[in-house]
Amino acid sequence: MTMAESISRRHWLKSTALLTGLAAVHHPYEAFTATTPPPALRPPGKSPWDYENMKARLTSNENPFGPSPKAQQIMSDAIKDSWMYPKLGKDQLKKMLAEMWDVTEDHIMLGAGSTEILMAAAQNFGNPNHTILAADLTYMSLIGRACNDYEAGLVTVPLTQDYDYDFDQMLDKISSDNSLIYICNPNNPTGRITDASQLRQFCKQASERKPVFIDEAYIDYQEDAAAHSVIDLVREGYPVMIARTFSKVHAMAGMRVGYCVATPELITQLKKYGTDGNGMSRPAVLGAIATLEDSEFMDYSRKMNAQSKAFLYQTLEANGYEYVPSDTNFVLFPIRMDGDRFVMEMMKRGVGLKRVVYRDQHYCRVSIGTMENMEAFAGAFGELS
């Protein structure tokens, strides 16, 4: 049995207990912060993030085990045709995705990574007269843009003690003021995936009142990812939007390919603020098509991620730290010092990380890297722990 499979209930309860009984709650916009450290904590003469000398870039949940060799070859070969716009490949990718999910092409919107989809949704649903309903703690990209740039309000519901969504409370919070309900599954930065049957039931009930946006960026880290997805609700006609990306398991973060599956009515709304794939390059589009056909690489990517994650768990346990068991390629754990200082001390040792502040507790979110990356983390962490 691997370390990932043998996480004890003791670890689970101890880590979840850290979230209970904490009095102060940060402003919801600050629930998940990953900003550069203040100038006072930066090394003299250094940029905030000195990537040039970094031994382990564990900041952005990137996947260092790819892209697929088949996709790499296709993208390399496509460079000579970069004088062409990506239309033919873009159309092929959209058709392929529609067939994969048993929907029409009118149900698909392409984007330069799922970020473009998130930003389109933020612009469409964010306005001063409405609020976004979301969990506290969750991924803040869409929420931050809708609230900070388009002046929407934010209504949050705390996670449960086991870091899951409290769907009963979220249903109670739905009001006429909401323009959108946002769910990230698996959640970022907790790394937890929620039960698919519970999520489907919530979406069915919630979407009768307001549209629901589901961010599934990390869902392919599950071997039975399709069973955890709620794209089937789109086929059934529910006003649900599903965002997906090629940045994580497919390891194409630098190529910027993503897509949304939603009802044609919602796709039409989002297209007002997105390019529907015209912002992607021809090599990126062809690489995405190739990686979709490479199931062997997907298995390899998940396997390598699991091995490095098991090593990370061992490292944290050996230093007496608890953590949130993760269903993704990152792990969240509480730290024993100021988060900004911890990040900069690790950076001095060549390891890039991000910190999260939640209910007066500082946490580290560490991405899963190669074994060499994780060994660099272990060495630096051992000096601070």
Side-chain angles (χ1 to χ4, degrees):
M1 179 179 293
T2 67
M3 176 65 69
E5 295 169 332
S6 63
I7 299 168
S8 68
R9 180 171 177 77
R10 175 179 61 83
H11 279 101
W12 179 260
L13 292 176
K14 283 187 177 179
S15 59
T16 56
L18 287 166
L19 290 187
T20 62
L22 296 173
V25 179
H26 282 259
H27 191 287
Y29 297 170
E30 300 173 348
F32 176 17
T33 55
T35 56
T36 58
L41 294 178
R42 299 175 191 170
K46 294 286 186 178
S47 65
W49 306 121
D50 188 6
Y51 290 127
E52 181 179 354
N53 299 318
M54 192 176 292
K55 300 176 184 176
R57 176 185 161 100
L58 307 177
T59 56
S60 304
N61 302 340
E62 295 153 329
N63 178 358
F65 303 113
S68 153
K70 295 178 182 178
Q72 291 185 46
Q73 186 62 57
I74 291 290
M75 290 187 288
S76 177
D77 292 344
I79 292 296
K80 66 180 184 299
D81 294 326
S82 292
W83 57 272
M84 300 172 62
Y85 287 114
K87 176 172 172 49
L88 293 179
K90 174 173 75 79
D91 292 347
Q92 182 183 351
L93 177 59
K94 181 177 285 191
K95 180 180 179 181
M96 188 176 185
L97 292 169
E99 292 176 350
M100 176 188 303
W101 297 114
D102 192 23
V103 296
T104 69
E105 293 179 42
D106 290 337
H107 289 78
I108 305 289
M109 174 181 168
L110 301 177
S114 59
T115 297
E116 184 178 344
I117 307 299
L118 294 166
M119 295 303 97
Q123 192 166 356
N124 186 67
F125 294 101
N127 64 75
N129 300 317
H130 290 95
T131 60
I132 307 296
L133 175 60
D136 178 17
L137 187 67
T138 195
Y139 185 55
M140 297 297 289
S141 181
L142 183 157
I143 296 167
R145 177 61 65 88
C147 296
N148 296 330
D149 292 353
Y150 304 114
E151 300 181 356
L154 177 60
V155 177
T156 61
V157 173
L159 297 174
T160 64
Q161 291 186 19
D162 59 354
Y163 300 91
D164 208 347
Y165 290 98
D166 190 331
F167 289 132
D168 289 337
Q169 279 203 50
M170 292 192 78
L171 286 171
D172 289 342
K173 287 283 188 177
I174 298 174
S175 71
S176 59
D177 291 336
N178 302 142
S179 59
L180 184 69
I181 301 165
Y182 175 80
I183 299 287
C184 185
N185 188 47
N187 198 8
N188 180 9
T190 67
R192 293 272 287 121
I193 194 166
T194 198
D195 179 77
S197 61
Q198 293 180 17
L199 179 56
R200 285 191 183 93
Q201 184 59 34
F202 169 77
C203 288
K204 288 180 179 181
Q205 294 178 262
S207 65
E208 291 179 354
R209 301 167 63 184
K210 297 295 175 180
V212 181
F213 189 103
I214 312 290
D215 186 344
E216 292 188 348
Y218 299 93
I219 204 161
D220 283 323
Y221 278 104
Q222 316 307 304
E223 292 186 5
D224 54 346
H228 289 280
S229 175
V230 292
I231 289 180
D232 55 298
L233 295 180
V234 175
R235 290 195 294 269
E236 295 175 26
Y238 288 94
V240 176
M241 293 156 278
I242 316 295
R244 283 182 159 243
T245 182
F246 287 79
S247 297
K248 305 307 177 183
V249 170
H250 295 285
M252 293 178 58
M255 299 306 292
R256 313 311 299 133
V257 184
Y259 64 98
C260 179
V261 184
T263 61
E265 294 78 11
L266 286 169
I267 291 294
T268 298
Q269 292 183 41
L270 295 179
K271 281 184 177 180
K272 293 185 296 183
Y273 307 105
T275 65
D276 193 23
N278 287 322
M280 300 187 301
S281 70
R282 177 176 171 82
V285 170
L286 296 180
I289 293 170
T291 194
L292 281 175
E293 297 174 333
D294 193 351
S295 60
E296 290 184 4
F297 170 75
M298 294 281 284
D299 292 339
Y300 166 80
S301 184
R302 284 188 287 259
K303 177 183 176 182
M304 299 303 290
N305 181 75
Q307 290 178 358
S308 288
K309 185 161 58 176
F311 178 84
L312 174 60
Y313 287 163
Q314 291 174 331
T315 299
L316 294 173
E317 290 170 352
N319 286 277
Y321 277 73
E322 305 295 339
Y323 52 85
V324 183
S326 172
D327 297 296
T328 63
N329 68 332
F330 59 87
V331 175
L332 185 72
F333 67 93
I335 51 181
R336 299 168 186 167
M337 62 191 302
D338 176 82
D340 287 327
R341 185 166 296 280
F342 174 78
V343 167
M344 288 313 304
E345 287 297 328
M346 290 293 284
M347 180 66 76
K348 290 176 185 177
R349 293 160 173 80
V351 179
L353 305 166
K354 284 188 177 176
R355 59 92 166 144
V356 177
V357 180
Y358 186 53
R359 297 183 179 179
D360 279 352
Q361 171 66 49
H362 287 223
Y363 292 79
C364 171
R365 192 199 69 182
V366 52
S367 303
I368 302 301
T370 64
M371 194 60 72
E372 182 179 4
N373 295 152
M374 306 321 292
E375 288 171 350
F377 169 87
F381 186 65
E383 295 180 13
L384 297 178
S385 62

